[in-house]
Amino acid sequence: MFERLPSNWMLAIKSIGYWFWLIPVLGIPLSHYWSLNSQYANAWPWLVVLVVFGVIPLLDFIIGRDPANPDETVQVPQMEQQGYYRLLSLATVPALLGMLGWSGWVFINHDVWSWVGQLGWILSVGTVTGAIGITVAHEFIHKDPQLEQNAGGLLLAAVCYGGFKIEHVRGHHVHVSTPEDASSSRYGQSLYAFLPHAYKHNFLNAWRLEAERLKRKNLPTLHWRNELIVWYAVSALFLLSFSLAFGWLGALFFIAQSIVAFTLLEIVNYVEHYGLHRRKLDNGRYERTNPTHSWNSNYLLTNLFLFHLQRHSDHHSYAKRRYQVLRHFEDSPQLPNGYAGMIVLALFPPLWRAVMDPRVRAYYAGEEHQLTGSQLI
């Protein structure tokens, strides 16, 4: 639909379209409002989940891909200096935290819902804190300004996944698409084999990386300058606040939406790197990360919702590039749908493998030996 528009037009459209993050955030209070006095009260809390994972994948096909890359010599320097894009992403922080606190109040006080409605509410809120909150946090933790670093840590603490701030930057980006990376899924590995391994090893690796950093400063692991202790303490404060405000059910709600959010993150990790790996060189090192080591998805709609996260190939090659100037590379391996649709597909391993395994094999055609030994981490 937009593939023939001039690049300048597309960049102007996208500068406004990045505000689409407000749609799922506002979808939470709207779904609650529409459930009031409704004979389908238990259905409305599922609204955000159904739209994100049912409607958006279809709209991705209808709306199509985004052809626009900014000009490197003129537009990229200008766009990276524009405070508008930074303020746009920072605006998500108070909106998401406010939505989270209000959602906890609704969970406790809206007694019309049965467990079915409550489950839908937790999944919807967790989808927003995961899809929007962690995505924006991911953008922030790759940037140098302390304001953005702290904003990213705060959003991750709100879903009890502060270790991502350490492990993702210092672990995943170093070892991506190698057997050393727990966030890079292997060819033939199911989502359900990937998830427990990712939870465990990413948590442990974050502690290892932070302990090594502190050791270089001649400090013990259990020190107030341990960043993990800081962000897990913030998560504990969130939990305490929900407990004091809403009782044990409030604490349950906070923990449950956190699990949904960081599980969504790890499913995205599974999708982003499935079956791809960096070749080992004769000197024993892995080749440098380039745009061929991550799956790219250039569907316009989901890229607007996710601040260009789906241009993941460029992100892994140039991690500090801001979201508004990330590029699409035609020679990167391409996903057949946006992340929302691919997440649904990943939940069904036989369907996932039927769609993705031929793409992986085609990508390594002529060097199928690259797939051997890449089955498991």
Side-chain angles (χ1 to χ4, degrees):
M1 183 181 296
F2 292 93
E3 294 184 20
R4 296 184 179 180
L5 286 181
S7 179
N8 287 343
W9 289 23
M10 282 302 305
L11 293 174
I13 290 170
K14 289 195 292 184
S15 69
I16 300 170
Y18 291 126
W19 286 102
F20 279 5
W21 66 267
L22 278 168
I23 296 174
V25 175
L26 295 176
I28 297 296
L30 279 176
S31 62
H32 169 256
Y33 176 75
W34 288 332
S35 75
L36 299 174
N37 302 316
S38 171
Q39 59 179 323
Y40 305 109
N42 284 304
W44 283 111
W46 292 84
L47 176 66
V48 171
V49 174
L50 295 175
V51 169
V52 169
F53 298 111
V55 176
I56 288 180
L58 296 176
L59 290 177
D60 269 334
F61 276 124
I62 295 169
I63 294 173
R65 295 177 173 87
D66 165 23
N69 283 337
D71 176 76
E72 288 295 307
T73 57
V74 178
Q75 292 174 318
V76 168
Q78 291 176 347
M79 293 172 69
E80 286 195 326
Q81 294 303 315
Q82 287 176 353
Y84 165 78
Y85 292 101
R86 188 179 175 197
L87 289 173
L88 192 158
S89 56
L90 286 169
T92 65
V93 179
L96 286 164
L97 295 182
M99 181 276 297
L100 179 59
W102 176 82
S103 298
W105 178 87
V106 170
F107 183 79
I108 299 304
N109 291 285
H110 192 62
D111 55 7
V112 175
W113 294 335
S114 70
W115 69 268
V116 175
Q118 290 178 324
L119 176 61
W121 188 248
I122 289 171
L123 290 174
S124 289
V125 172
T127 295
V128 174
T129 55
I132 306 300
I134 296 182
T135 295
V136 177
H138 169 262
E139 171 74 14
F140 289 151
I141 64 176
H142 279 289
K143 305 303 177 284
D144 294 327
Q146 195 60 47
L147 175 62
E148 288 171 292
Q149 284 284 318
N150 290 337
L154 185 60
L155 288 174
L156 291 170
V159 294
C160 301
Y161 222 53
F164 181 78
K165 189 174 187 297
I166 306 299
E167 203 288 325
H168 179 79
V169 176
R170 291 189 245 153
H172 176 60
H173 270 262
V174 174
H175 300 295
V176 64
S177 298
T178 73
E180 285 75 28
D181 182 36
S183 291
S184 295
S185 50
R186 300 292 167 239
Y187 177 74
Q189 185 181 30
S190 77
L191 174 65
Y192 303 103
F194 170 82
L195 284 176
H197 188 85
Y199 295 145
K200 175 185 174 182
H201 286 271
N202 287 334
F203 175 80
L204 295 175
N205 200 38
W207 279 98
R208 180 184 64 80
L209 290 166
E210 189 66 353
E212 290 174 355
R213 183 184 72 86
L214 292 169
K215 186 177 180 179
R216 290 192 294 270
K217 296 178 178 291
N218 296 316
L219 296 173
T221 301
L222 297 179
H223 191 275
W224 65 268
R225 291 176 65 180
N226 184 320
E227 195 173 356
L228 286 171
I229 293 176
V230 172
W231 294 118
Y232 285 134
V234 175
S235 293
L237 287 175
F238 272 114
L239 180 60
L240 178 62
S241 299
F242 274 79
S243 300
L244 293 176
F246 309 125
W248 71 270
L249 279 175
L252 176 65
F253 167 80
F254 175 71
I255 293 171
Q257 67 83 29
S258 295
I259 293 172
V260 173
F262 65 67
T263 296
L264 186 59
L265 161 67
E266 295 297 355
I267 297 174
V268 169
N269 277 332
Y270 176 86
V271 168
E272 287 171 339
H273 301 288
Y274 178 77
L276 301 177
H277 53 277
R278 287 148 62 191
R279 296 163 180 82
K280 208 164 193 178
L281 305 176
D282 292 338
N283 62 7
R285 296 176 177 270
Y286 291 101
E287 64 181 327
R288 184 175 179 177
T289 306
N290 63 54
T292 69
H293 296 132
S294 304
W295 289 97
N296 199 63
S297 179
N298 205 34
Y299 286 89
L300 174 62
L301 181 62
T302 309
N303 259 330
L304 292 177
F305 277 112
L306 298 181
F307 295 86
H308 266 168
L309 180 66
Q310 297 182 142
R311 290 187 168 185
H312 208 61
S313 300
D314 195 18
H315 167 69
H316 264 283
S317 300
Y318 306 92
K320 288 188 179 292
R321 283 181 77 100
R322 291 189 175 270
Y323 69 90
Q324 66 268 25
V325 295
L326 287 173
R327 296 160 295 181
H328 168 67
F329 293 101
E330 283 293 341
D331 57 349
S332 298
Q334 304 294 320
L335 291 172
N337 195 240
Y339 279 6
M342 299 309 296
I343 288 168
V344 175
L345 191 66
L347 297 175
F348 303 94
L351 294 178
W352 172 265
R353 295 200 63 183
V355 171
M356 291 302 297
D357 282 9
R359 285 175 165 79
V360 176
R361 290 195 297 270
Y363 197 74
Y364 289 105
E367 47 179 346
E368 286 78 6
H369 64 280
Q370 291 285 343
L371 297 176
T372 62
S374 67
Q375 295 278 354
L376 296 173
I377 298 172

